[in-house]
Amino acid sequence: ETEAFVPVVENLMNEVDTLENLVYVLSFSERADLLRRMALCRRRIAQLNQVIWSKTMMFKHLKSQRYHWETEEEGMVIPVVYLQDILDTITYMTTRIKLAREFLDGAQTSYLARVNVEAADHSHEIEGRMNTMSTVATVFVPLTTITGMWGMNVVVPGQVNEFDENDPSTYVPFILICVGMLVISVGLTAFFRRYQFF
């Protein structure tokens, strides 16, 4: 009966090896299935450990009590149960289950590390976009302030009022404001490019 668990334990080890390999190759959309398989594998490890641990305790107790089941066959004493062989098999399976648990823990740690790295990359990408948007907004804030403060207080081309339209000096403030805005825009853009804000 104990030997029947050996293929189950080996299948469990193969499943853990498969999960360990899948951690590095699965895409983002397939990760839910990977986590589900990891959880099922953990449950199987716990169930097998529970069944095999009870057998280990039983056979260790039997061996320590020096029980001997023997039978007579043609005048010879032949042992019927080889407790040490059974105990060796159980110890082997227990070791393999512990190894499977350690490999699964390592795979889960690698999975979490990969998720953290991808999250950091995504965060860095968003930070770069927000930095560019902040830079553009910073360039336009002085321009908006200037147009808000002086937009209605100077003569603009096409405006009809008491100013002489033919006198070019009436447009000097408008031209100065436009040149000032252009200088501010170019200056801020050059500054931000030099210090690599975008």
Side-chain angles (χ1 to χ4, degrees):
E1 177 187 344
T2 305
E3 297 286 333
F5 285 105
V6 173
V8 176
V9 171
E10 291 304 319
N11 287 341
L12 181 67
M13 280 299 293
N14 291 337
E15 175 71 13
V16 170
D17 285 340
T18 303
L19 289 175
E20 202 172 21
N21 292 332
L22 288 176
V23 164
Y24 300 106
V25 296
L26 284 183
S27 66
F28 187 76
S29 61
E30 298 167 323
R31 289 194 185 150
D33 182 53
L34 177 66
L35 289 176
R36 184 186 59 77
R37 286 176 67 179
M38 281 183 170
L40 289 174
C41 200
R42 279 195 185 284
R43 186 180 308 151
R44 285 178 54 204
I45 287 173
Q47 290 169 343
L48 275 173
N49 201 24
Q50 185 179 13
V51 169
I52 292 175
W53 182 257
S54 63
K55 291 184 181 302
T56 303
M57 291 296 106
M58 181 182 69
F59 281 105
K60 280 185 179 178
H61 177 70
L62 288 174
K63 186 178 176 204
S64 69
Q65 297 300 318
R66 301 193 193 302
Y67 287 113
H68 294 284
W69 293 306
E70 299 173 344
T71 184
E72 296 260 345
E73 184 177 306
E74 299 177 9
M76 297 178 59
V77 176
I78 301 173
V80 176
V81 178
Y82 298 99
L83 293 178
Q84 186 61 47
D85 289 343
I86 294 171
L87 195 56
D88 288 346
T89 302
I90 291 173
T91 304
Y92 169 77
M93 289 188 293
T94 305
T95 305
R96 295 292 282 176
I97 288 173
K98 286 180 183 177
L99 193 61
R101 186 183 310 129
E102 289 175 9
F103 283 167
L104 190 59
D105 287 343
Q108 193 161 13
T109 302
S110 297
Y111 170 77
L112 291 175
R114 182 176 177 204
V115 168
N116 285 338
V117 166
E118 288 176 2
D121 288 345
H122 185 67
S123 174
H124 183 69
E125 181 181 326
I126 289 174
E127 180 185 342
R129 290 178 183 171
M130 292 305 292
N131 200 5
T132 301
M133 289 174 57
S134 297
T135 303
V136 169
T138 303
V139 168
F140 281 100
V141 164
L143 305 181
T144 305
T145 304
I146 291 170
T147 57
M149 288 173 61
W150 286 287
M152 295 182 290
N153 298 330
V154 294
V155 177
V156 294
Q159 180 178 358
V160 178
N161 58 10
E162 68 271 3
F163 296 106
D164 185 11
E165 293 178 13
N166 297 328
D167 184 16
S169 65
T170 57
Y171 297 116
V172 170
F174 175 76
I175 294 170
L176 287 176
I177 290 172
C178 288
V179 169
M181 288 171 44
L182 184 64
V183 167
I184 289 172
S185 297
V186 170
L188 284 174
T189 303
F191 173 79
F192 288 132
R193 284 204 184 266
R194 179 174 179 186
Y195 292 104
Q196 299 177 350
F197 282 99
F198 66 92

